[in-house]
């Protein structure tokens, strides 16, 4: 005899999104940590030579004719922190059921993501060298390009959270807390990239 | 107890042809798009099982090439690195890595009392990403891509395929971790997680830590190969930069769940509770130290030379990354044996597979510690391949044990114990023959990853013939196991809900488990919740 099994209720959500985002943020952090490790290894292995006047040693890593535009990179660095504040504002407003402010905060997060990518493109334009021009250039474009992908993912996350909020599904803080966590994670990641690639070079 | 129709839809096949065809298509579409974790997991580890057979076949081809070191049989001169890297890829990323990830996706939600896997679509994406990546890698190597490949486009395709493969394993690991951390049954706090699920959590987190580092390197290689080929040496430099992902300690990460299976099955066959359980969980955790070793992208050898400070530094790193995983596996094995001692043992094929498999993994781990002891003079020899094979085949043996153990819960039918026991013996002989000769050949200085043009004192041909035979025997034992399992799960004896007198929640639901796993759940009061409502073996014997 067959007795049909009644459909069970869906499992009660216990911050699944937050845990999954923590895992995804860990993956992103390890990805960039691995890339930075390879960067540091290349930099450490770069040949050292005497300067033309023989007075100092020069490491052949960053080509002499290249100048990284520091205004744009420092602006990017600061902008990430503004993104974190906006993402946390969305969480704060959600807890108070203030949908208008949630939407505003998430929209600003999205725009900040676009601004960061815009700043990175500005760096590329001012940099004005080809990717195939040397080892440093390959590594520079690869690591900063990967960072752009992580920021683009943050923008997608902001857009999805915004649409959920506009759609009236902002009753739980789980999505917005996860969104904020991801913004914190990429800010920490960019801090490391900024220090190694743009400050230490 | 839940009663369900265990073979719903079977009557569809008896109708007219078009109905049978449409029901077949519906079933295929259901399997390919299902968000049921049991289907995703079964598909994952079945595909991976095919990879184990492919690994055995490639092992035979590698062995044949080595039998006569002077001439080449199958592999064209100059493509040795491509072939060896392909062999390594099949062993590590088709056979080893996804095997237990698939089993974990199928079993973990049942074990922790969840009605579904968290993020099932992500798990499904992971499986398809892995499969797509595997196909790309195979195509690219066949078309002169891969490490040292001559076709730039297919080299790029190889890097993309490998990145997708690793991304698939990462994507499949995230739902496992999330399920364990968020969807446990009421009362199941973190210390009450079943030991296999604990090992799945540890292994999945280890994957999340180590595999992104491999992907990061692959991104560099991809961009360099596509645009400049100046930083990493083009296709010639690929293997130098990624080979760490195809050897120890990365492979140890993939073997953690094999040890977890033994710790799960041992108390069940002894019909008792796991003694010293916190120490056992710590042992499984210690194995994950291998992930930290992997993400340094190098092996850590111990050089007994130089100043006292250098020796101590080497000793600490070597011990931390190579001896601690061995110690963790040893603790888990020892406590599993202690569980057998405290209970009344009823040996099952699942236990034999798991015990022998973990034994092989342990021999591999011990070999790994010895290999990296530089005074042994083994670095750069084929000894490492012996270690690698012990770990891969040992894990595959344990996975066969997992299929025997959880098959009744997933398919609703039993694999006959007596028939499958013979295959456990056969696969053990295959594993030892495929691995141990390389240990001996390593001491005789047979070079690593070389398929020809080597010579050393001793019966070189004999060792390589033995290893070739071992790979063939192992592949045959896996083929026989797959056929027996397919036959048993199709027409074998129906399984009861709790055929092994189990300890954990998966045995509290019907066999096969229904779509949403449980109709109702009780509050869990211990790590072995079913043992709470069953008499212990001591009580039975009394």
């Amino acid at each position: 005899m067959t007795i049909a099994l009644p459909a069970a209720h869906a499992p009660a959500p216990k911050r699944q999104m937050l845990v999954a985002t923590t895992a995804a943020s860990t993956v992103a952090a390890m990805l960039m940590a691995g890339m930075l490790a390879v960067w540091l290894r290349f930099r450490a292995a770069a040949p050292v030579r005497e300067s033309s006047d023989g007075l100092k040693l020069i490491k052949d890593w960053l080509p002499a004719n290249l100048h990284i535009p520091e205004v744009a990179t420092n602006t990017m660095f600061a902008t990430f922190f503004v993104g974190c504040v906006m993402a946390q504002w969305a969480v704060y407003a959600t807890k108070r059921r203030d949908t208008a402010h949630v939407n505003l905060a998430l929209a600003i997060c999205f725009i900040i993501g676009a601004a960061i990518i815009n700043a990175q493109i500005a760096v590329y334009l001012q940099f004005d060298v080809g990717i195939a021009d040397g080892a440093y250039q390959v590594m520079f474009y690869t690591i900063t390009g990967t960072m752009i992908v992580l920021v683009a993912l943050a923008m997608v996350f902001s857009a999805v959270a915004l649409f959920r909020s506009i759609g009236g599904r902002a009753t739980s803080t789980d999505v917005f807390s996860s969104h904020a966590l991801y913004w914190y994670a990429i800010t920490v990641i960019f801090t490391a990239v900024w220090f190694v690639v743009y400050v230490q070079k | 107890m839940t009663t369900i129709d265990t073979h719903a839809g079977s009557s569809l096949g008896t109708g007219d042809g078009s109905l049978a065809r449409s029901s077949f298509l519906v079933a295929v579409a259901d399997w390919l798009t299902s968000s049921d974790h049991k289907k995703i997991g079964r598909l994952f580890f079945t595909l991976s099982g095919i990879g184990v057979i492919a690994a055995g076949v490639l092992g035979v081809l590698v062995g044949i090439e080595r039998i006569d070191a002077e001439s080449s049989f199958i592999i064209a001169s100059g493509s040795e690195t491509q072939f060896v890297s392909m062999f390594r890829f099949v062993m590590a990323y088709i056979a080893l890595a996804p095997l237990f990830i698939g089993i974990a996706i199928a079993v973990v939600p049942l074990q922790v009392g969840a009605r579904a896997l968290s993020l099932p679509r992500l798990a499904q994406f992971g499986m398809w990403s892995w499969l797509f990546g595997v196909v790309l890698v195979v195509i690219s190597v066949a078309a002169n891509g891969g490490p040292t490949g001559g076709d730039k486009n297919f080299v790029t395709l190889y890097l993309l395929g490998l990145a997708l493969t690793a991304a698939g394993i990462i994507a499949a690991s995230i739902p496992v971790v999330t399920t364990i951390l968020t969807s446990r049954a009421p009362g199941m706090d973190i210390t009450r997680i079943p030991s296999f699920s604990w090992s799945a959590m540890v292994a999945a987190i280890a994957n999340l830590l180590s595999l992104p580092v491999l992907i990061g390197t692959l991104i560099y290689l991809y961009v360099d190969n596509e645009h400049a080929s100046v930083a990493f040496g083009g296709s010639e430099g690929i293997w130098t930069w990624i080979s760490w992902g195809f050897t120890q300690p990365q492979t140890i990460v993939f073997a953690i769940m094999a040890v977890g299976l033994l710790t799960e099955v041992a108390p069940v066959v002894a019909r008792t509770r796991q003694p010293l359980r916190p120490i056992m969980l710590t042992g499984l955790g210690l194995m994950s130290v291998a992930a930290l070793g992997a993400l340094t992208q190098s092996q850590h050898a111990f050089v007994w030379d130089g100043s006292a400070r250098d020796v101590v530094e080497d000793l600490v790193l070597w011990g931390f990354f190579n001896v601690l995983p061995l110690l963790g596996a040893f603790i888990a094995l020892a406590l599993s044996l202690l569980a057998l001692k405290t209970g009344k043992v009823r040996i099952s094929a699942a236990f034999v597979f798991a015990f022998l498999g973990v034994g092989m993994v342990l021999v591999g781990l011990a070999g790994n510690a010895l290999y990296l002891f530089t005074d042994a003079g083994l670095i750069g020899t084929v000894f490492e391949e012996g270690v690698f094979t012990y770990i891969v085949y040992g894990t595959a043996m344990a996975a066969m044990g997992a299929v025997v153990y959880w098959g009744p819960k997933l398919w609703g039918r039993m694999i006959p114990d007596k028939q499958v026991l013979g295959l456990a013996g056969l696969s053990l002989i295959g594993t030892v023959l495929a691995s141990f000769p390389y240990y001996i050949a390593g001491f005789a200085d047979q070079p690593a990853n070389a398929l020809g043009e080597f010579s050393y004192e001793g019966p070189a041909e004999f060792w390589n013939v033995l290893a070739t035979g071992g790979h063939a025997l192992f592949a045959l034992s896996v083929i026989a196991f797959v056929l027996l399992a397919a036959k048993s799960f199709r027409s074998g004896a129906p399984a009861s809900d709790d055929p092994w007198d189990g300890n954990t929640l998966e045995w509290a639901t019907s066999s096969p488990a229904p779509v949403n796993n449980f109709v109702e759940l009780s509050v869990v009061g211990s790590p072995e919740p079913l043992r709470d409502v069953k008499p212990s073996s001591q009580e039975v014997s009394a």
Side-chain angles (χ1 to χ4, degrees), chain A residues 40-146:
Chain A
L40 291 171
R41 193 166 159 181
F42 263 79
R43 193 175 70 189
V48 177
R49 62 181 167 82
E50 280 188 350
S51 60
S52 56
D53 55 9
L55 295 176
K56 58 182 178 179
L57 293 173
I58 298 171
K59 200 178 234 317
D60 276 332
W61 168 241
L62 178 66
N65 59 334
L66 290 187
H67 297 286
I68 295 174
E70 288 178 354
V71 173
T73 56
N74 292 343
T75 305
M76 279 163 68
F77 179 56
T79 310
F80 267 100
F81 289 91
V82 180
C84 289
V85 173
M86 293 300 122
Q88 191 59 43
W89 179 24
V91 177
Y92 176 84
T94 306
K95 286 178 180 171
R96 280 149 188 78
R97 299 181 187 281
D98 186 351
T99 310
H101 280 170
V102 173
N103 296 346
L104 180 62
L106 292 172
I108 294 173
C109 277
F110 184 86
I111 293 165
I112 283 173
I116 289 168
I117 292 175
N118 182 55
Q120 186 65 65
I121 292 168
V123 170
Y124 290 156
L125 291 174
Q126 291 176 50
F127 206 43
D128 197 27
V129 289
I131 191 169
D133 290 353
Y136 175 86
Q137 289 87 332
V138 168
M139 301 195 70
F140 177 84
Y141 278 108
T142 307
I143 200 163
T144 52
T146 307

Side-chain angles (χ1 to χ4, degrees), chain B residues 364-431:
Chain B
L365 292 176
N368 180 52
L370 178 63
Y371 173 73
L372 293 168
F373 189 78
T374 47
D375 279 4
L378 295 168
I379 292 177
T381 70
V382 79
F383 189 95
E384 185 276 336
E385 193 173 312
V387 172
F388 180 67
T389 309
Y390 264 124
I391 292 174
V392 175
Y393 282 179
T395 305
M397 284 178 68
M400 288 192 269
V403 172
V404 174
Y405 185 66
W406 283 303
K409 189 55 60 186
L410 298 174
W411 278 276
R413 295 189 185 275
M414 305 287 289
I415 299 182
D417 242 32
K418 283 182 184 168
Q419 290 178 35
V420 89
L421 268 174
L423 293 178
L426 203 63
S427 58
L428 174 73
I429 296 168
T431 304

Side-chain angles (χ1 to χ4, degrees), chain A residues 2-3 5 8-9 14-16 19-20 23 26-27 30-31 34-35 38-39 42 131-132 134-135 138-139 142-143 146, chain B residues 2-5 115 118-119 170 178 182-184 209 212 216 219-220 223 227-228 230-232 241 295 514 516 518-519:
Chain A
T2 297
I3 302 172
L5 185 76
H9 296 293
K14 286 191 292 188
R15 303 183 79 78
Q16 286 179 349
V19 173
T26 305
V27 170
M30 292 311 298
L31 173 76
M35 295 184 82
V38 174
W39 174 283
F42 263 79
I131 191 169
V138 168
M139 301 195 70
T142 307
I143 200 163
T146 307
Chain B
T2 309
T3 307
I4 62 161
D5 177 11
R115 288 195 165 122
S118 301
L119 314 169
I170 290 169
T178 309
T182 66
S183 303
R184 298 190 302 274
L209 292 175
I219 294 172
Y220 274 130
V223 174
H227 293 284
V230 290
F232 295 85
W241 284 93
L295 61 86
N516 287 317
F518 302 95
V519 174

Side-chain angles (χ1 to χ4, degrees), chain B residues 401-488:
Chain B
V403 172
V404 174
Y405 185 66
W406 283 303
K409 189 55 60 186
L410 298 174
W411 278 276
R413 295 189 185 275
M414 305 287 289
I415 299 182
D417 242 32
K418 283 182 184 168
Q419 290 178 35
V420 89
L421 268 174
L423 293 178
L426 203 63
S427 58
L428 174 73
I429 296 168
T431 304
V432 172
L433 284 179
S435 314
F436 195 67
Y438 286 147
Y439 273 22
I440 300 169
F443 277 106
D445 286 341
Q446 180 174 325
N449 300 330
L451 300 181
E453 295 177 9
F454 57 81
S455 64
Y456 56 86
E457 284 184 22
E461 282 185 17
F462 179 67
W463 302 130
N464 288 296
V465 166
L466 278 185
T468 307
H471 280 292
L473 199 58
F474 191 81
L476 286 175
S477 66
V478 176
I479 291 169
F481 180 86
V482 169
L483 293 176
L484 180 63
K487 184 185 168 202
S488 303

Side-chain angles (χ1 to χ4, degrees), chain B residues 57 114 148 164 205 309 337 352 519:
Chain B
V57 172
T148 71
L164 280 175
I205 291 172
R309 182 185 170 143
L337 294 175
V352 173
V519 174

